[in-house]
Amino acid sequence: MRNNSFHILKKPAEVAVIGAGFAGMTAAAVMAKSGAKVTVFEKNEGIGGRARIFGAEGFTFDMGPSWYWMPDVYERFFNLFGEDVSDYYELKKLDPGFAVIFGKNEVWDIPADFEQTCDLFEQTEPGAGDKLRKFIAEGELKYRVGMGDLVYKPGHSMMEFMSLGLLRDALKIQLFTSFSQHARKYFKDPRLLSIIEFPVLFLGAMPKDTPALYSLMNFSGLKQGTFYPMGGFGRVASAFQKLAEQSGVEFRTMEQISKLETQSGHVTGLISNDRHIATDAVVGSADYHHIEQKLLDPENRSYDEQYWETRTFAPSCMLFYLGVNKKIEKLRHHNLFFDEDFEGHAIDIYKHKKWPEKPLFYVCCPSRTDPSVAPDGQENLFVLMPIAIGLDDVEATRESYYHMLMGRLEAFAGEDVRGHVVFRQSYCTSDFIKDYNAYKGNAYGLANTLLQTAIFKPKLRSKKLDNLFYAGQLTVPGPGVPPSIISGQIAANELLKFLNR
């Protein structure tokens, strides 16, 4: 359903957006469509934030996001502008959606067809098929409630949820129940639990510290399905840029914002590349901590360093972008290597906060689906290992884990891979800091624990400066591309209300 309603500005306004990730581009597009003159300032050469791309040796690598879940969030955003996703890029539903490797000779393909997934669960644990249907039905309810009105609320105060009657629904959507406890009421087999809990490990926190509300992610992954934008996730970022530009947004890359100028509780301008730029308002979609601690004077900060030190962050990650000069037949598009203990890796990330001893990891092979991302007869690999934030990142550590992970990949594939790598580039915490000013090298933002959900996240609006708003993975609603898109929409609408006051 198309929705072309916008909060049209009553008078002209110039708005600056810091950061050209999904949150920043979304906010910019909405505000420009509403009549604002919007300029997006991006410190890097390309747009997309963590969804940037780069090319080398005939390969095209997505630098960050690779899972396309919650397709309705993207569609809903494009519909605001009277457009459809299909006007900008082609989506392909993957079958299998993903594969889980529990050992060299134990690989589970998770079918695109949900009933086939239920059959797989049933074959593993008698009764688990019907339990999965019930588990996912509950997840669908949470998705409808959580991804409907709830997730689009700015999180200013509890009154937002009282007016919606959502407090009454809190028990129904299990906001106060542990994800781990909830999952274990349905399933016993550790392999089934791994499939259910992996989105929480990769994008959240320990399952026992995450609200059962987030089984809505299982509904999206197992029932809605896993999609792939042909050409790679960079096509999605380019589509958001194009939509923003069509709405009147100007993008300025290689623009390093070094200071927000303020007066009497109001942002008056920015310093970019040593020049002053006047503005009527700012949306900060870059790292929240960086904007506060580096661009603002102490008296204008909403949160001090101690606040950030006490937050629970989702993982960072170590990444390897690999070009391989042959095909690897046993790999699927998405491959989860769960041949080590799930809980042990989670404890290393969240409790011990150390380099994992026996890590789980993920391999994306988009060339299995999309021939455009690799030369003919070759493979494009994206290898990701979740790690704790703030770890020392040195070349020797990268090298050690490269060989550890590739050794396990080769054992599964039954063939040499390292000897056929013709391009290799690594990426880790120091790169997240350098490229995105990411607090302690975080990759995904704040974990979705109960005390960091909705009103308990860093506020979308500055407590000290009335025309400074925030968007992105460190404020509402949370980590991931769909939440970042929603965050940009919320920030834009709240800022437009402010300008129209």
Side-chain angles (χ1 to χ4, degrees):
M1 183 170 135
R2 295 178 185 274
N3 178 359
N4 301 93
S5 60
F6 288 86
H7 297 284
I8 303 302
L9 279 177
K10 298 175 183 177
K11 58 184 179 180
E14 295 194 10
V15 179
V17 176
I18 305 173
F22 280 107
M25 291 192 289
T26 300
V30 170
M31 291 185 295
K33 194 71 171 180
S34 302
K37 182 180 179 183
V38 184
T39 305
V40 178
F41 298 90
E42 169 56 51
K43 72 180 287 290
N44 293 309
E45 184 177 359
I47 59 89
R50 286 163 168 78
R52 292 181 300 151
I53 62 171
F54 75 94
E57 306 294 332
F59 299 90
T60 301
F61 295 99
D62 281 318
M63 294 188 69
S66 60
W67 292 79
Y68 196 106
W69 282 1
M70 304 183 183
D72 51 299
V73 173
Y74 299 83
E75 198 65 62
R76 180 172 176 174
F77 176 70
F78 278 87
N79 289 171
L80 284 172
F81 298 82
E83 305 277 6
D84 293 311
V85 160
S86 59
D87 298 328
Y88 291 83
Y89 53 89
E90 177 191 354
L91 276 182
K92 183 172 183 178
K93 190 172 186 178
L94 300 180
D95 192 10
F98 55 94
V100 186
I101 294 98
F102 291 112
K104 181 179 179 181
N105 299 313
E106 187 176 9
V107 183
W108 289 20
D109 286 321
I110 307 302
D113 182 86
F114 177 63
E115 283 304 313
Q116 291 181 20
T117 303
C118 293
D119 291 342
L120 177 63
F121 272 52
E122 182 66 30
Q123 292 164 15
T124 305
E125 187 174 281
D130 283 339
K131 288 179 180 178
L132 180 62
R133 292 182 184 92
K134 183 178 179 183
F135 183 86
I136 295 300
E138 290 183 358
E140 184 171 5
L141 169 66
K142 296 169 192 174
Y143 193 90
R144 180 173 55 78
V145 174
M147 299 303 291
D149 288 329
L150 174 61
V151 79
Y152 284 87
K153 290 296 171 182
H156 294 319
S157 74
M158 189 66 76
M159 292 302 295
E160 296 166 18
F161 308 106
M162 292 179 71
S163 64
L164 285 169
L166 287 175
L167 284 180
R168 184 187 60 231
D169 293 335
L171 292 177
K172 186 183 297 183
I173 64 174
Q174 296 181 299
L175 188 58
F176 307 111
T177 303
S178 158
F179 189 102
S180 179
Q181 291 175 350
H182 177 57
R184 280 158 178 76
K185 288 180 180 178
Y186 289 84
F187 313 109
K188 304 300 180 187
D189 191 289
R191 294 165 297 181
L192 300 183
L193 289 168
S194 293
I195 291 169
I196 293 297
E197 291 182 336
F198 95 83
V200 175
L201 173 67
F202 278 66
L203 286 175
M206 292 281 287
K208 70 181 182 64
D209 298 325
T210 301
L213 164 67
Y214 291 102
S215 65
L216 62 85
M217 296 175 68
N218 300 116
F219 160 72
S220 184
L222 298 179
K223 188 75 177 285
Q224 286 184 320
T226 301
F227 296 83
Y228 173 77
M230 295 300 287
F233 230 99
R235 291 285 179 90
V236 184
S238 294
F240 274 70
Q241 180 185 14
K242 183 178 180 181
L243 191 65
E245 289 175 334
Q246 290 171 174
S247 301
V249 175
E250 178 185 355
F251 285 85
R252 296 185 187 175
T253 57
M254 303 298 287
E255 291 271 3
Q256 177 72 62
I257 305 299
S258 58
K259 181 75 173 177
L260 292 183
E261 296 182 320
T262 64
Q263 185 175 350
S264 303
H266 198 77
V267 178
T268 58
L270 310 87
I271 301 297
S272 175
N273 296 352
D274 297 324
R275 72 185 191 282
H276 168 79
I277 300 165
T279 189
D280 295 311
V282 173
V283 172
S285 73
D287 186 88
Y288 200 131
H289 170 270
H290 171 77
I291 293 173
E292 287 233 313
Q293 298 299 317
K294 302 299 182 182
L295 308 189
L296 293 174
D297 293 326
E299 65 270 19
N300 290 322
R301 298 169 187 165
S302 299
Y303 304 99
D304 59 19
E305 280 289 352
Q306 180 61 27
Y307 171 85
W308 295 105
E309 285 287 340
T310 58
R311 298 304 91 187
T312 299
F313 277 77
S316 186
C317 53
M318 176 176 283
L319 298 161
F320 297 100
Y321 309 102
L322 306 175
V324 181
N325 67 2
K326 68 173 183 177
K327 304 304 286 185
I328 307 171
E329 294 306 321
K330 288 189 71 173
L331 284 180
R332 282 66 160 172
H333 187 119
H334 294 300
N335 308 267
L336 297 167
F337 280 78
F338 282 9
D339 48 341
E340 294 289 358
D341 181 56
F342 183 100
E343 186 175 0
H345 189 178
I347 290 172
D348 283 345
I349 293 173
Y350 295 108
K351 300 303 180 186
H352 298 156
K353 298 181 180 180
K354 66 174 187 177
W355 286 99
E357 294 182 12
K358 296 181 178 181
L360 311 182
F361 66 103
Y362 157 65
V363 177
C364 183
C365 185
S367 46
R368 301 295 295 177
T369 303
D370 185 353
S372 74
V373 300
D376 187 44
Q378 304 189 41
E379 300 284 32
N380 174 322
L381 301 186
F382 170 100
V383 182
L384 181 153
M385 178 182 74
I387 60 173
I389 68 167
L391 297 178
D392 289 334
D393 169 22
V394 297
E395 189 58 39
T397 303
R398 297 189 188 200
E399 189 72 10
S400 174
Y401 278 99
Y402 171 74
H403 289 292
M404 176 194 294
L405 303 184
M406 293 302 290
R408 286 162 58 187
L409 170 59
E410 289 173 337
F412 163 71
E415 58 183 300
D416 172 50
V417 177
R418 278 172 284 188
H420 292 268
V421 171
V422 293
F423 176 81
R424 170 183 163 191
Q425 182 169 311
S426 61
Y427 200 93
C428 200
T429 53
S430 61
D431 298 298
F432 282 104
I433 294 169
K434 176 175 65 72
D435 287 349
Y436 310 119
N437 296 310
Y439 177 72
K440 292 190 176 182
N442 81 84
Y444 300 110
L446 287 174
N448 284 323
T449 62
L450 173 59
L451 295 180
Q452 292 181 168
T453 295
I455 61 171
F456 301 116
K457 287 191 183 292
K459 295 300 182 185
L460 180 138
R461 183 173 180 176
S462 168
K463 298 178 181 180
K464 303 294 182 67
L465 301 165
D466 61 3
N467 62 340
L468 172 59
F469 292 74
Y470 293 94
Q473 59 188 16
L474 291 180
T475 184
V476 291
V481 176
S484 290
I485 294 168
I486 294 168
S487 183
Q489 291 179 249
I490 300 170
N493 288 326
E494 291 300 297
L495 177 51
L496 290 165
K497 289 178 191 175
F498 167 78
L499 292 173
N500 277 335
R501 71 199 187 285

